[in-house]
Amino acid sequence: DAGVIQSPRHEVTEMGQEVTLRCKPISGHDYLFWYRQTMMRGLELLIYFNNNVPIDDSGMPEDRFSAKMPNASFSTLKIQPSEPRDSAVYFCASTWRGVDTIYFGEGSWLTVV
Amino acid sequence: QQPVQSPQAVILREGEDAVINCSSSKALYSVHWYRQKHGEAPVFLMILLKGGEQKGHDKISASFNEKKQQSSLYLTASQLSYSGTYFCGTESGTASKLTFGTGTRLQVTL
């Protein structure tokens, strides 16, 4: 199995630009999570989906952040407009409830200058 | 609310033991433990479900006290490969919503 695939792995963008992060979960998994990791706040859950439906987006910091899951094999996290404080590593993860183990992608390292 | 881990950091000599604690203010359904090496994704170690069971493989084990809403990770005869940041993740109320702790940085030296 290829695991959870994220792109881009690294992105440097200017403040005000739109950023789109992409994720392909493990085939057959019905839960998808977006996490953000920073030194100050650790690993924060932003939003998660079950069967492509957003279940809890209470962790999304503000309206500049949005996430979609148009089908079972693809999800995006969009930041518009981006700000320097959005600089972080964004992890996508997936699981199948029957297994409970959550598998993480390798992360997207975002730097907003 | 984020579970609290202690200690925040620990340095061990190879072969020494360590205990990492995870404490939550909410009633827990399960506790997950992950290890993350610098620049990499968190990797699953084990999950403990409600019921107070203890699990382990090799020289790493964990316990879960649901009454106290606490879990502990035990690292025995540590190896250099154990170095990394350890996170507990807790599920409470809403199934599958995993909230991660503050992390414990472990360094094993020769």
Side-chain angles (χ1 to χ4, degrees):
Chain A
D1 201 321
V4 177
I5 300 172
Q6 292 187 243
S7 64
R9 290 294 315 279
H10 296 89
E11 175 142 352
V12 180
T13 190
E14 290 185 346
M15 184 173 64
Q17 296 297 306
E18 179 179 288
V19 173
T20 300
L21 307 178
R22 298 171 178 81
C23 175
K24 177 178 167 53
I26 293 173
S27 177
H29 283 188
D30 56 355
Y31 283 86
L32 183 141
F33 308 85
W34 282 102
Y35 284 91
R36 178 173 69 176
Q37 187 174 36
T38 61
M39 287 293 293
M40 292 297 293
R41 301 171 72 93
L43 266 168
E44 301 174 274
L45 177 64
L46 299 178
I47 184 172
Y48 78 98
F49 297 82
N50 178 218
N51 292 321
N52 314 337
V53 176
I55 302 301
D56 187 338
D57 65 355
S58 59
M60 295 286 261
E62 45 197 278
D63 291 346
R64 298 185 297 105
F65 285 69
S66 63
K68 293 182 179 179
M69 192 166 185
N71 57 62
S73 59
F74 184 65
S75 176
T76 59
L77 178 68
K78 190 173 290 187
I79 308 172
Q80 166 64 19
S82 58
E83 297 182 3
R85 60 190 167 125
D86 301 331
S87 298
V89 184
Y90 291 82
F91 286 104
C92 176
S94 71
T95 191
W96 169 56
R97 189 56 192 164
V99 175
D100 282 328
T101 304
I102 294 179
Y103 296 89
F104 283 80
E106 295 192 340
S108 291
W109 296 65
L110 174 66
T111 302
V112 183
V113 298
Chain B
Q1 192 159 358
Q2 197 175 28
V4 177
Q5 288 183 231
S6 63
Q8 287 188 320
V10 58
I11 299 176
L12 297 174
R13 288 237 169 101
E14 197 174 23
E16 291 182 336
D17 302 340
V19 180
I20 299 172
N21 301 301
C22 174
S23 180
S24 174
S25 59
K26 297 183 177 181
L28 300 178
Y29 167 74
S30 71
V31 179
H32 302 226
W33 284 97
Y34 284 76
R35 176 172 61 210
Q36 184 180 29
K37 296 196 180 273
H38 184 69
E40 299 180 7
V43 174
F44 174 80
L45 293 175
M46 65 187 76
I47 179 175
L48 300 103
L49 302 176
K50 193 174 174 181
E53 64 179 295
Q54 184 154 347
K55 277 194 174 181
H57 55 82
D58 199 10
K59 296 186 175 70
I60 299 176
S61 62
S63 63
F64 177 24
N65 186 325
E66 61 187 279
K67 287 185 180 177
K68 292 187 176 180
Q69 295 154 198
Q70 293 176 345
S71 177
S72 294
L73 185 72
Y74 306 94
L75 301 152
T76 306
S78 59
Q79 306 168 17
L80 293 175
S81 61
Y82 286 5
S83 294
T85 301
Y86 289 78
F87 292 96
C88 66
T90 57
E91 285 183 284
S92 55
T94 307
S96 292
K97 181 176 179 178
L98 201 60
T99 303
F100 281 93
T102 47
T104 296
R105 194 181 308 172
L106 179 79
Q107 184 179 354
V108 181
T109 64
L110 289 170

Short mmCIF file of all heavy atoms in Angstrom, two decimals, chain A residues 11-20 64 79-83 86 112-113:
data_model
loop_
_atom_site.label_atom_id
_atom_site.label_comp_id
_atom_site.label_asym_id
_atom_site.label_seq_id
_atom_site.Cartn_x
_atom_site.Cartn_y
_atom_site.Cartn_z
N GLU A 11 6.31 24.02 0.55
CA GLU A 11 5.84 25.19 -0.20
C GLU A 11 6.22 26.45 0.52
O GLU A 11 6.01 26.58 1.73
CB GLU A 11 4.32 25.14 -0.39
CG GLU A 11 3.76 26.39 -1.07
CD GLU A 11 2.63 26.10 -2.03
OE1 GLU A 11 2.36 24.92 -2.31
OE2 GLU A 11 2.04 27.07 -2.52
N VAL A 12 6.78 27.37 -0.24
CA VAL A 12 7.08 28.70 0.27
C VAL A 12 6.25 29.68 -0.55
O VAL A 12 6.30 29.67 -1.78
CB VAL A 12 8.58 29.05 0.14
CG1 VAL A 12 8.84 30.46 0.68
CG2 VAL A 12 9.43 28.03 0.88
N THR A 13 5.48 30.51 0.12
CA THR A 13 4.60 31.42 -0.59
C THR A 13 4.61 32.78 0.09
O THR A 13 5.03 32.91 1.25
CB THR A 13 3.16 30.86 -0.63
OG1 THR A 13 2.38 31.65 -1.53
CG2 THR A 13 2.52 30.90 0.75
N GLU A 14 4.17 33.76 -0.63
CA GLU A 14 4.12 35.11 -0.07
C GLU A 14 2.78 35.35 0.62
O GLU A 14 1.74 34.83 0.20
CB GLU A 14 4.34 36.15 -1.16
CG GLU A 14 5.76 36.15 -1.70
CD GLU A 14 5.99 37.27 -2.69
OE1 GLU A 14 5.00 37.88 -3.15
OE2 GLU A 14 7.16 37.54 -3.02
N MET A 15 2.83 36.16 1.63
CA MET A 15 1.62 36.54 2.37
C MET A 15 0.56 37.04 1.39
O MET A 15 0.87 37.81 0.47
CB MET A 15 1.97 37.63 3.37
CG MET A 15 0.84 38.06 4.25
SD MET A 15 1.37 39.20 5.54
CE MET A 15 1.92 40.58 4.59
N GLY A 16 -0.66 36.58 1.59
CA GLY A 16 -1.76 37.01 0.73
C GLY A 16 -2.08 36.05 -0.39
O GLY A 16 -3.17 36.14 -0.98
N GLN A 17 -1.15 35.14 -0.67
CA GLN A 17 -1.39 34.18 -1.74
C GLN A 17 -2.28 33.04 -1.25
O GLN A 17 -2.35 32.73 -0.06
CB GLN A 17 -0.06 33.60 -2.24
CG GLN A 17 0.85 34.63 -2.90
CD GLN A 17 0.23 35.23 -4.15
OE1 GLN A 17 -0.18 34.51 -5.06
NE2 GLN A 17 0.14 36.54 -4.18
N GLU A 18 -2.92 32.39 -2.21
CA GLU A 18 -3.73 31.22 -1.90
C GLU A 18 -2.84 29.98 -1.87
O GLU A 18 -1.96 29.83 -2.73
CB GLU A 18 -4.82 31.04 -2.95
CG GLU A 18 -5.70 29.82 -2.73
CD GLU A 18 -6.78 29.70 -3.79
OE1 GLU A 18 -7.72 30.49 -3.78
OE2 GLU A 18 -6.66 28.77 -4.64
N VAL A 19 -3.07 29.13 -0.89
CA VAL A 19 -2.32 27.88 -0.75
C VAL A 19 -3.30 26.72 -0.78
O VAL A 19 -4.33 26.76 -0.09
CB VAL A 19 -1.54 27.85 0.57
CG1 VAL A 19 -0.89 26.49 0.78
CG2 VAL A 19 -0.49 28.96 0.61
N THR A 20 -3.01 25.71 -1.57
CA THR A 20 -3.83 24.50 -1.61
C THR A 20 -2.97 23.28 -1.32
O THR A 20 -2.00 23.03 -2.03
CB THR A 20 -4.52 24.33 -2.97
OG1 THR A 20 -5.37 25.46 -3.22
CG2 THR A 20 -5.39 23.07 -2.96
N ARG A 64 -10.41 31.88 6.74
CA ARG A 64 -9.42 31.80 5.66
C ARG A 64 -9.12 30.35 5.31
O ARG A 64 -8.57 30.06 4.26
CB ARG A 64 -8.12 32.51 6.08
CG ARG A 64 -8.27 33.99 6.35
CD ARG A 64 -6.92 34.65 6.64
NE ARG A 64 -6.30 34.12 7.85
CZ ARG A 64 -5.27 33.28 7.87
NH1 ARG A 64 -4.73 32.90 6.73
NH2 ARG A 64 -4.76 32.87 9.02
N ILE A 79 -5.96 27.63 2.06
CA ILE A 79 -5.79 28.82 2.90
C ILE A 79 -5.79 30.03 1.96
O ILE A 79 -4.97 30.11 1.06
CB ILE A 79 -4.45 28.78 3.69
CG1 ILE A 79 -4.30 27.48 4.46
CG2 ILE A 79 -4.40 29.97 4.66
CD1 ILE A 79 -2.93 27.28 5.10
N GLN A 80 -6.72 30.92 2.18
CA GLN A 80 -6.84 32.10 1.32
C GLN A 80 -7.43 33.27 2.11
O GLN A 80 -8.59 33.18 2.56
CB GLN A 80 -7.74 31.77 0.11
CG GLN A 80 -8.23 32.96 -0.70
CD GLN A 80 -7.12 33.76 -1.37
OE1 GLN A 80 -6.01 33.27 -1.54
NE2 GLN A 80 -7.42 34.99 -1.72
N PRO A 81 -6.70 34.36 2.28
CA PRO A 81 -5.30 34.56 1.94
C PRO A 81 -4.38 34.01 3.03
O PRO A 81 -4.76 33.96 4.20
CB PRO A 81 -5.21 36.09 1.89
CG PRO A 81 -6.22 36.55 2.92
CD PRO A 81 -7.34 35.54 2.86
N SER A 82 -3.20 33.61 2.66
CA SER A 82 -2.27 33.06 3.64
C SER A 82 -1.57 34.18 4.41
O SER A 82 -1.41 35.30 3.91
CB SER A 82 -1.23 32.18 2.94
OG SER A 82 -0.53 32.92 1.96
N GLU A 83 -1.17 33.85 5.64
CA GLU A 83 -0.47 34.79 6.52
C GLU A 83 0.75 34.07 7.10
O GLU A 83 0.76 32.83 7.19
CB GLU A 83 -1.40 35.26 7.66
CG GLU A 83 -2.61 36.03 7.18
CD GLU A 83 -3.47 36.53 8.32
OE1 GLU A 83 -3.10 36.32 9.50
OE2 GLU A 83 -4.52 37.14 8.03
N ASP A 86 0.48 31.20 9.50
CA ASP A 86 0.01 29.90 8.99
C ASP A 86 1.17 28.95 8.73
O ASP A 86 0.95 27.78 8.41
CB ASP A 86 -0.78 30.09 7.70
CG ASP A 86 -1.98 30.99 7.87
OD1 ASP A 86 -2.55 31.03 8.99
OD2 ASP A 86 -2.36 31.67 6.89
N VAL A 112 5.09 30.77 4.95
CA VAL A 112 4.49 31.98 4.38
C VAL A 112 5.37 33.16 4.78
O VAL A 112 5.59 33.42 5.96
CB VAL A 112 3.05 32.20 4.88
CG1 VAL A 112 2.44 33.42 4.20
CG2 VAL A 112 2.20 30.96 4.61
N VAL A 113 5.89 33.85 3.77
CA VAL A 113 6.82 34.96 4.05
C VAL A 113 6.17 36.31 3.74
O VAL A 113 5.16 36.38 3.05
CB VAL A 113 8.13 34.80 3.26
CG1 VAL A 113 8.83 33.53 3.68
CG2 VAL A 113 7.86 34.81 1.76
#
